[in-house]
Amino acid sequence: MKKLVLILSFLLLLINTAGLAQESQNDILKNFESGKYTVYKVVDKKKFQKVNKPWPVTITNQGAGVSSVLVKRSGILDEEFKPDVPGYPAYFAFKTYRLTFLKDYAVYYEWNGKQEATTKYVLVKPGGSFSNKWEATNESVASYATATFKNQTNARANVKVAKAAQAEADRKANSLENKKVKEIRLELITTPKKVAHFSEAIDYGIVATLQDGTQLKTSNLGGKLPWDDFKLTHTGCSSTIERVKVDEDATKLTNDEIVLQVQSVYHPSLRSKKAIPTTNDVSIQVSRNGFYGADRAQATNKATFGASQPGGNGHTLTVKVKTVSHKKSGIKLNKIYIYDETERKVVAHYKLTPSTQLIINANGGNGQWGSDGTSGSFPNGDKGGAGGRGGDVTIIKDPSVTEFNITVNNNGGKGGSGGKRYNVNGTSGATGASGAKGTTTTQKKTVQLNF
């Protein structure tokens, strides 16, 4: 009998909502007003229980639709629900909850990936009524929502077009296009004490002054002036909007400065330029270490068999250095060139003050572990892989160099741990041999560095 009542109740709900299935929430809400709504909450055994105090509900209209529904949950907590598709909403959303209005009431529910609704509350409008079962309510709101989703294609397209049109209108309102502009000016937001390879980023914005004195600013200065209004031609740093970083390649810092340069797209004669001398005083680490034994196959692109693989050798490096004068401040700078003999390629071009530390890491890689004994027939653990040898580093100093703060780490890698024995009849594998330390050689002879 209970099942029959539930089925009949559900069928009645389908009949009542069939006409609503093709209507959006904007249409349905024409029959709703703001006010105090009677609330039914879900309790144990999935039954509805009437809440003592009604909840205030405020419906805000904008144009032909509803822009928001404010529910004061429990009479004190403000929850503002927004339409999923403004032109043709199927529901209103707040965090993980949804609100859908049906005949005389709104269902407050959660939605899952299986297109199923789980009702939490039902809010009945003043003068309305509600006497449905929990399961039937879930089915009813899910049926309405899925049917409405199918009709949202055109509405979504219209919303997209409307948003694009609004965005273009906003752009033109804040753009320099078709405006009389007096000047444009770069403005630094942050000015780091250190301007060098790998130093902190520098933030900047643009201020445009119109002929009538009005100022337009980019978003990071509190305005809405589009960055697309400008052509960027920075040198010595990244040509990026809002934030730049000093180039890591000293060949791009020919004048020992970074230069921010912008030009108005709509007024090409208007430009702004700001030069910032480099300080060249951030320490740098260059790592050309050998690989870990377990990574041998990937590092060498050759197949390996079993564990106990030896670590890779540290790379052989040549470091050339020459002292020159900073082209802006006149202080001494060391030009540094690093070449990887192992991979036959240039690793770096740097400019550092003589006291700024350069750390070279060319350590051997650690050996892989040895395999454990596997059975009575193979009870012994294998010896660990040997550590790789430290790389050889040659430092060539030009006679102009009187100070060069360099630290070379080219230790041999550690041997891998031996494998465990299988039983008392076996022996544990020995630790692999450590790799030898690389050599560090310093030479003094004329160096030519063309950067």
Side-chain angles (χ1 to χ4, degrees):
M1 184 66 182
K2 288 183 178 180
K3 288 185 177 180
L4 179 59
V5 171
L6 179 60
I7 292 171
L8 289 173
S9 177
F10 176 55
L11 289 174
L12 285 171
L13 278 170
L14 289 181
I15 292 170
N16 288 332
T17 59
L20 301 177
Q22 303 305 314
E23 292 183 301
S24 76
Q25 289 290 283
N26 286 338
D27 296 320
I28 294 173
L29 276 162
K30 291 176 182 177
N31 298 316
F32 285 79
E33 295 180 350
S34 301
K36 293 185 177 181
Y37 281 52
T38 302
V39 179
Y40 293 86
K41 68 178 181 180
V42 178
V43 294
D44 293 341
K45 297 182 181 180
K46 301 175 182 177
K47 293 182 178 180
F48 288 113
Q49 182 182 81
K50 187 177 180 180
V51 175
N52 292 331
K53 292 184 178 181
W55 293 2
V57 174
T58 303
I59 300 169
T60 302
N61 294 291
Q62 185 175 26
V66 175
S67 60
S68 70
V69 178
L70 179 65
V71 175
K72 194 173 282 292
R73 186 159 63 89
S74 300
I76 55 174
L77 300 175
D78 286 348
E79 296 181 344
E80 187 175 20
F81 289 78
K82 294 286 189 177
D84 64 324
V85 178
Y88 198 91
Y91 62 87
F92 298 86
F94 172 76
K95 295 184 177 179
T96 60
Y97 298 108
R98 295 183 178 185
L99 190 68
T100 293
F101 289 79
L102 297 177
K103 185 179 179 182
D104 286 333
Y105 55 88
V107 182
Y108 184 122
Y109 61 99
E110 290 181 322
W111 189 258
N112 63 26
K114 296 180 180 180
Q115 305 291 293
E116 296 172 337
T118 301
T119 301
K120 300 295 182 182
Y121 304 98
V122 171
L123 287 66
V124 183
K125 71 179 183 180
S129 62
F130 177 77
S131 59
N132 301 322
K133 300 294 184 180
W134 182 77
E135 294 88 346
T137 303
N138 291 338
E139 292 288 346
S140 179
V141 72
S143 176
Y144 166 80
T146 52
T148 308
F149 292 155
K150 296 176 182 178
N151 295 330
Q152 286 184 328
T153 302
N154 291 336
R156 289 182 186 275
N158 291 338
V159 169
K160 187 175 181 180
V161 170
K163 285 184 176 180
Q166 184 61 51
E168 177 60 13
D170 290 343
R171 186 198 69 79
K172 286 185 175 180
N174 294 284
S175 171
L176 301 184
E177 184 179 5
N178 298 323
K179 291 185 175 69
K180 294 181 179 180
V181 185
K182 181 179 179 181
E183 66 172 5
I184 61 173
R185 173 172 51 85
L186 281 161
E187 185 171 305
L188 294 182
I189 298 173
T190 59
T191 307
K193 292 181 179 179
K194 296 185 176 184
V195 181
H197 308 299
F198 307 104
S199 63
E200 293 181 8
I202 299 172
D203 293 334
Y204 74 99
I206 303 174
V207 179
T209 303
L210 306 185
Q211 291 291 352
D212 63 4
T214 301
Q215 287 193 332
L216 300 177
K217 301 179 180 182
T218 50
S219 57
N220 56 346
L221 291 174
K224 295 183 178 180
L225 178 60
W227 281 97
D228 289 344
D229 276 18
F230 304 97
K231 179 182 178 182
L232 312 181
T233 53
H234 305 333
T235 58
C237 61
S238 55
S239 278
T240 48
I241 65 170
E242 296 190 354
R243 172 172 291 185
V244 298
K245 296 207 72 173
V246 178
D247 207 300
E248 297 172 11
D249 184 356
T251 63
K252 307 291 180 62
L253 292 161
T254 53
N255 291 316
D256 299 328
E257 64 181 359
I258 68 168
V259 181
L260 306 181
Q261 300 179 95
V262 297
Q263 178 184 21
S264 171
V265 171
Y266 301 107
H267 307 273
S269 63
L270 296 179
R271 301 168 182 261
S272 183
K273 175 179 177 181
K274 190 173 288 291
I276 306 172
T278 56
T279 59
N280 306 89
D281 54 351
V282 173
S283 62
I284 297 174
Q285 285 199 51
V286 176
S287 294
R288 311 298 291 176
N289 298 312
F291 54 80
Y292 175 43
D295 298 329
R296 174 167 287 276
Q298 181 179 356
T300 62
N301 202 26
K302 294 180 180 179
T304 59
F305 301 94
S308 303
Q309 297 297 323
N313 295 331
H315 294 204
T316 298
L317 304 175
T318 297
V319 180
K320 295 181 180 181
V321 57
K322 182 176 183 176
T323 301
V324 297
S325 295
H326 193 291
K327 293 182 179 179
K328 299 301 176 183
S329 66
I331 65 171
K332 296 298 181 183
L333 288 180
N334 283 337
K335 284 185 177 181
I336 302 165
Y337 165 92
I338 304 174
Y339 185 80
D340 188 322
E341 305 286 354
T342 302
E343 294 189 350
R344 298 182 180 180
K345 69 177 184 180
V346 177
V347 173
H349 295 94
Y350 296 135
K351 287 183 181 180
L352 298 176
T353 59
S355 61
T356 300
Q357 187 180 36
L358 171 66
I359 300 173
I360 301 290
N361 298 314
N363 299 304
N366 293 334
Q368 187 184 15
W369 67 89
S371 296
D372 295 338
T374 56
S375 67
S377 300
F378 300 96
N380 299 330
D382 291 339
K383 182 178 180 179
R389 185 181 184 280
D392 295 331
V393 178
T394 300
I395 302 169
I396 303 175
K397 293 183 179 180
D398 185 83
S400 60
V401 179
T402 58
E403 182 182 2
F404 183 32
N405 187 356
I406 184 171
T407 299
V408 176
N409 299 311
N410 54 350
N411 299 309
K414 296 179 180 180
S417 58
K420 297 178 182 179
R421 64 183 183 179
Y422 180 74
N423 55 30
V424 294
N425 296 321
T427 56
S428 296
T431 299
S434 294
K437 182 178 176 62
T439 61
T440 301
T441 304
T442 301
Q443 302 175 7
K444 190 170 186 178
K445 61 182 181 181
T446 301
V447 171
Q448 295 294 330
L449 296 178
N450 299 317
F451 66 91

